[in-house]
Amino acid sequence: MEYEFCCPTLFGLEGIVGDELRHGGGLTDVRVENGRVFFSGDARTLVWANLWLRCAERVLIKVGEFPARTFEELFEGVYELPWLDYIEKDCAFPVKGYSLNSNLHSIPDCQSIVKKAIVKSLSESYGIGWFEETGPRCQVQFSIMDNIATLYLDTSGAGLHKRGYRANANEAPLRETLAAAMVHLSRYRGRGEFLDPFCGSGTIPIEAAMIAMNRAPGLARSFDAEKWACIDPELWRQGREQALDVIYRDRCYDICGSDIDPACVELSAENAKKAGVEHTVRFETRDACTLRLDRREGTLICNPPYGERMMDVASARKLLRNFGTTASRSPMKQYIISSDEKFEEFFGVKADKKRKLYNGMLRCNLFMYYQPPEKRKRFRSFANTKNNMKKVQKNRNNRPNKRFEGHS
């Protein structure tokens, strides 16, 4: 059976997910939009996408699309869709969704209409009037945008960022899909030194290790569609076996995460073990501001505190200034994510390139430094320029006026 799929993404990661599908999945029918990526394929594609996509949030099957300006149109449109192809009589099929720029803006009312329409369709097909919904979960999602309703089924269950290795996290965890995207953008593939000096719960080094080892991010978790009758269980077994066969098990890597908090280091080590990369990555208790980075080469990726969920803004900027004193002069290629608009000012160097990303709903920039240190431009802040101008003016005012020298 041929399906049309949709992968929601964090804003800024759509292009990366598109590349994953084209290069990793060998797909050609890929369409990238804001916050989502569409593609087509069969059940094997469904299995591969859930096991292998590192930067997508979910894998949804598109069931159908139609105009819906009234509740009647919504009901009739949903009723006509082929729900029998997916939902067994014992399946649980909860409904959720959203509406933007449309006549139907009451989400609870839309949920109720969609549910009733699916129940009517299935009741007529199965010849029963009540569904216990005690079996496999088939999460129904709807989106109504500009009066066009689109219905999906969620094949993933828990979001794909939940790899299964991070049951616990520190105060400000970075979503796994975003961490993987940062590694992707750095072009790190296992060669040379890799360092995260603010490792927290270890997400960035663990994702780097999984990429270096060619380990599928979904190996340690399950998916809702594994229990669906319409997807052959043998495809899941084959997909997992193939993913295990292609892991690079005989290579050595120099991947390190460090943190000033010993509890974070311990947590990172536990998460690495759950992720199956404990022999690939190491963690150390170190103060990022005392690291000697001036002669180290390789890749540095980190998510330092920026005053949103950890520290206050002043403390975070002080930390950034101290860290930037050495890091900005290091030959290492650096990729640092921050929501602080004055990041470059306090880090001390202008980024070679910036890329807008979102950490959840928090707008951030990924500041990229890949030029040699001697080619990087030091940042001269407006505040420093203003202070220098004040000093110059003060010196001018204190100078004796030569036109009146020697006169009483």
Side-chain angles (χ1 to χ4, degrees):
M1 184 174 178
E2 193 76 6
Y3 302 99
E4 184 173 359
F5 298 103
C6 173
C7 281
T9 73
L10 294 175
F11 286 107
L13 304 191
E14 304 91 341
I16 297 175
V17 174
D19 289 342
E20 287 188 277
L21 290 164
R22 294 185 190 98
H23 302 149
L27 304 178
T28 55
D29 182 22
V30 178
R31 188 172 83 254
V32 176
E33 296 184 1
N34 286 335
R36 54 188 184 173
V37 181
F38 291 92
F39 59 102
S40 58
D42 57 14
R44 290 184 183 276
T45 307
L46 182 156
V47 171
W48 178 88
N50 274 293
L51 286 172
W52 280 99
L53 286 177
R54 299 184 188 278
C55 303
E57 292 301 307
R58 296 179 181 278
V59 179
L60 309 177
I61 292 176
K62 182 179 175 181
V63 183
E65 186 175 272
F66 52 87
R69 297 176 181 82
T70 66
F71 286 126
E72 183 178 356
E73 287 184 342
L74 179 62
F75 184 94
E76 291 300 325
V78 173
Y79 171 76
E80 294 292 338
L81 295 178
W83 300 107
L84 187 63
D85 291 347
Y86 308 98
I87 302 177
E88 295 291 305
K89 64 175 66 176
D90 65 334
C91 284
F93 49 100
V95 176
K96 65 179 180 180
Y98 63 90
S99 177
L100 295 172
N101 301 324
S102 299
N103 296 350
L104 305 179
H105 50 77
S106 171
I107 302 305
D109 288 338
C110 291
Q111 285 177 295
S112 178
I113 294 294
V114 170
K115 183 76 172 185
K116 288 178 181 177
I118 297 174
V119 167
K120 182 181 178 183
S121 174
L122 294 176
S123 293
E124 294 177 357
S125 298
Y126 289 119
I128 57 177
W130 178 259
F131 295 89
E132 295 289 344
E133 298 193 46
T134 57
R137 178 184 174 91
C138 295
Q139 175 70 63
V140 178
Q141 292 194 20
F142 67 85
S143 81
I144 307 176
M145 299 179 64
D146 298 318
N147 294 318
I148 300 295
T150 310
L151 276 294
Y152 303 98
L153 282 173
D154 184 356
T155 72
S156 303
L160 294 182
H161 68 279
K162 296 184 178 180
R163 317 287 207 212
Y165 66 76
R166 199 175 72 177
N168 299 309
N170 63 336
E171 291 181 46
L174 189 73
R175 188 167 287 202
E176 292 88 335
T177 45
L178 180 55
M182 291 165 63
V183 177
H184 176 89
L185 290 168
S186 76
R187 301 184 183 276
Y188 175 78
R189 299 297 182 268
R191 295 182 179 179
E193 181 182 5
F194 183 95
L195 174 64
D196 175 4
F198 299 93
C199 71
S201 54
T203 307
I204 294 175
I206 290 172
E207 291 295 324
M210 293 173 73
I211 289 173
M213 293 176 64
N214 197 38
R215 183 181 177 90
L219 267 178
R221 56 159 290 173
S222 60
F223 307 92
D224 277 2
E226 287 187 74
K227 298 179 181 179
W228 293 3
C230 60
I231 306 296
D232 186 353
E234 180 65 14
L235 296 179
W236 289 101
R237 188 190 66 78
Q238 292 175 2
R240 290 182 182 279
E241 280 190 359
Q242 291 167 3
L244 287 169
D245 289 343
V246 298
I247 295 175
Y248 304 143
R249 303 180 186 276
D250 56 350
R251 301 183 184 183
C252 296
Y253 306 96
D254 186 7
I255 303 173
C256 179
S258 63
D259 202 284
I260 196 171
D261 186 352
C264 286
V265 173
E266 183 179 350
L267 178 59
S268 296
E270 291 175 0
N271 289 340
K273 186 174 183 180
K274 293 174 186 174
V277 297
E278 69 271 26
H279 301 301
T280 305
V281 59
R282 69 183 188 280
F283 295 96
E284 303 171 347
T285 303
R286 298 287 297 273
D287 182 347
C289 297
T290 63
L291 291 173
R292 296 295 301 272
L293 303 173
D294 51 336
R295 295 187 179 181
R296 295 169 71 167
E297 296 185 357
T299 304
L300 183 153
I301 304 180
C302 65
N303 173 36
Y306 32 87
E308 290 289 341
R309 288 174 289 182
M310 294 181 67
M311 294 187 171
D312 56 71
V313 174
S315 299
R317 286 177 171 175
K318 181 179 179 181
L319 172 64
L320 183 60
R321 189 186 295 276
N322 292 336
F323 175 62
T325 299
T326 55
S328 65
R329 294 178 171 83
S330 171
M332 299 188 82
K333 295 180 180 179
Q334 299 169 45
Y335 301 80
I336 307 173
I337 190 169
S338 177
S339 67
D340 191 343
E341 294 181 356
K342 294 188 176 182
F343 171 88
E344 293 165 294
E345 175 180 339
F346 289 91
F347 189 65
V349 178
K350 289 185 177 181
D352 297 319
K353 187 177 180 181
K354 291 188 289 187
R355 179 159 179 155
K356 188 190 303 179
L357 298 174
Y358 282 80
N359 185 6
M361 297 302 295
L362 186 62
R363 178 176 172 175
C364 301
N365 276 302
L366 182 63
F367 297 90
M368 308 181 189
Y369 298 89
Y370 41 78
Q371 294 281 359
E374 60 272 15
K375 292 187 177 181
R376 295 173 186 165
K377 297 179 181 179
R378 306 302 298 180
F379 190 94
R380 291 185 64 190
S381 69
F382 174 77
N384 289 338
T385 303
K386 191 174 180 179
N387 289 335
N388 290 337
M389 290 178 65
K390 285 183 178 179
K391 289 179 181 179
V392 171
Q393 188 62 44
K394 184 177 180 181
N395 290 336
R396 286 176 177 174
N397 293 338
N398 290 337
R399 289 177 185 171
N401 193 323
K402 292 184 178 181
R403 288 180 299 172
F404 296 97
E405 284 183 9
H407 292 270
S408 57

